[in-house]
Amino acid sequence: MPELPEVEVVRAGLAPAVVGATIASVSVLDDRALTRHLAGPTDFVARLEGRTVTAASRRGKFLWLPLDDDASALMAHLGMSGQLLLRAPGSVPERHERVRIAIEHPQHGELAVVFADQRTFGSLAVDGLVDDGPTRIPTQAAHIARDPMDELFDDVLFLDSLRRRGSAIKRALLDQTLVSGIGNIYADEALWAARVHPETPASRLGRPTAERLLAEVRLVLAKALAEGGTSFDAQYVNVNGQAGYFAHSLNAYGRGGEPCPRCGGPITRVSFMNRSSHYCPRCQRRR
């Protein structure tokens, strides 16, 4: 599933093209793309056509485009394989195209925003906005915490919350109500960088170790963002259809059986929450 860097790459790519643009028309080609919009495709189209996009925002893995009524936004969750692509008007339909939104920008002219999704786990919706401190967020994303790249992220609150959790630290990092945007890939990478075993109880981390781990989370996310995210196949791409290349910089995730870049010992791969967890038993000792 796309994590914070992949979604931020998409948001940053969309922003120059959509902010200030008016939505001319909306074509829903597959109703499954609107599972989060309970009112259905007719309502979805009616609430978008004629509206102007005022911003491009993100929290964790949620992306949304606030509209000029100041009360709603076009929200996107990419799921496992969702893509938001910028295309020329009248371009050939994308493979697995589900929704096409024609926009008119005062500077860039006509463009199409295409939502394509092979596995159909992603979804678009027009959602209401609610206040969350100095910002506004869609109601469907209001339950998740701020992410570590958010300037309003509260380090002290996060670190104090870890001390009250008896669950494994990796499970804590994946808990979107505690900290958003971190998925399996970047949790493994941050834990490797901080030399923390993924099954260490969060409450057992000393304050210096927890602070070091948070710093490594930010470093990993920033590096992945600079490299366009992590792409293992053609599903994770930016708005122009280009893949990120952070996969070449991974130290632990996906390297089961390979030598640890730090100590040379073999990286271990174990089952974890219907996925896989990767760590170095030599560098990340369970204490």
Side-chain angles (χ1 to χ4, degrees):
M1 179 179 291
E3 301 177 26
L4 184 157
E6 291 77 43
V7 179
E8 175 60 20
V9 165
V10 173
R11 186 210 64 79
L14 283 176
V18 303
V19 176
T22 298
I23 298 173
S25 65
V26 179
S27 300
V28 179
L29 308 177
D30 190 336
D31 292 0
R32 292 177 297 175
L34 303 182
T35 54
R36 290 179 179 269
H37 191 89
L38 301 181
T42 300
D43 181 78
F44 179 79
V45 172
R47 295 180 64 182
L48 287 177
E49 290 185 342
R51 302 247 69 98
T52 297
V53 176
T54 60
S57 305
R58 179 198 55 76
R59 178 175 293 182
K61 305 172 188 179
F62 285 87
L63 163 69
W64 65 94
L65 307 177
L67 303 173
D68 58 358
D69 62 1
D70 295 326
S72 63
L74 171 60
M75 191 193 74
H77 192 286
L78 301 182
M80 294 292 292
S81 58
Q83 301 172 340
L84 282 169
L85 307 168
L86 289 175
R87 293 293 182 256
S91 61
V92 176
E94 298 293 320
R95 188 181 183 189
H96 309 302
E97 182 170 327
R98 310 297 179 187
V99 178
R100 179 171 289 234
I101 302 173
I103 62 174
E104 297 176 358
H105 194 279
Q107 290 181 311
H108 308 306
E110 297 181 356
L111 288 169
V113 178
V114 172
F115 179 65
D117 189 4
Q118 178 179 343
R119 301 186 185 180
T120 67
F121 293 141
S123 182
L124 303 181
V126 180
D127 196 16
L129 296 173
V130 295
D131 292 332
D132 182 34
T135 59
R136 305 196 79 198
I137 188 169
T139 59
Q140 294 186 37
H143 65 287
I144 68 170
R146 295 184 182 276
D147 63 64
M149 309 304 283
D150 190 323
E151 61 182 13
L152 296 178
F153 184 84
D154 190 328
D155 288 22
V156 174
L157 176 62
F158 170 74
L159 294 170
D160 287 345
S161 296
L162 285 184
R163 293 189 63 83
R164 296 192 296 271
R165 292 183 176 242
S167 60
I169 182 59
K170 181 170 180 179
R171 286 180 180 268
L173 291 178
L174 298 181
D175 184 348
Q176 301 297 294
T177 64
L178 174 65
V179 55
S180 65
I182 305 171
N184 207 32
I185 296 173
Y186 301 113
D188 280 357
E189 290 299 298
L191 289 166
W192 178 88
R195 297 175 180 258
V196 175
H197 192 286
E199 289 298 321
T200 302
S203 59
R204 296 287 185 88
L205 291 182
R207 192 72 168 206
T209 302
E211 290 175 346
R212 184 173 73 249
L213 175 58
L214 179 57
E216 294 294 353
V217 165
R218 288 193 168 114
L219 287 172
V220 167
L221 293 175
K223 185 175 181 181
L225 181 57
E227 297 185 8
T230 302
S231 299
F232 292 111
D233 51 38
Q235 293 179 354
Y236 302 156
V237 295
N238 65 16
V239 296
N240 297 314
Q242 300 168 323
Y245 50 92
F246 187 67
H248 301 294
S249 301
L250 295 173
N251 292 300
Y253 184 85
R255 292 174 54 89
E258 298 180 27
C260 170
R262 185 166 48 212
C263 73
I267 296 291
T268 294
R269 173 184 177 274
V270 296
S271 296
F272 176 79
M273 298 173 60
N274 297 320
R275 290 171 285 184
S276 296
S277 191
H278 303 80
Y279 66 97
C280 174
R282 185 182 297 175
C283 291
Q284 298 166 257
R285 296 184 182 278
R286 185 171 183 178
R287 305 184 186 282

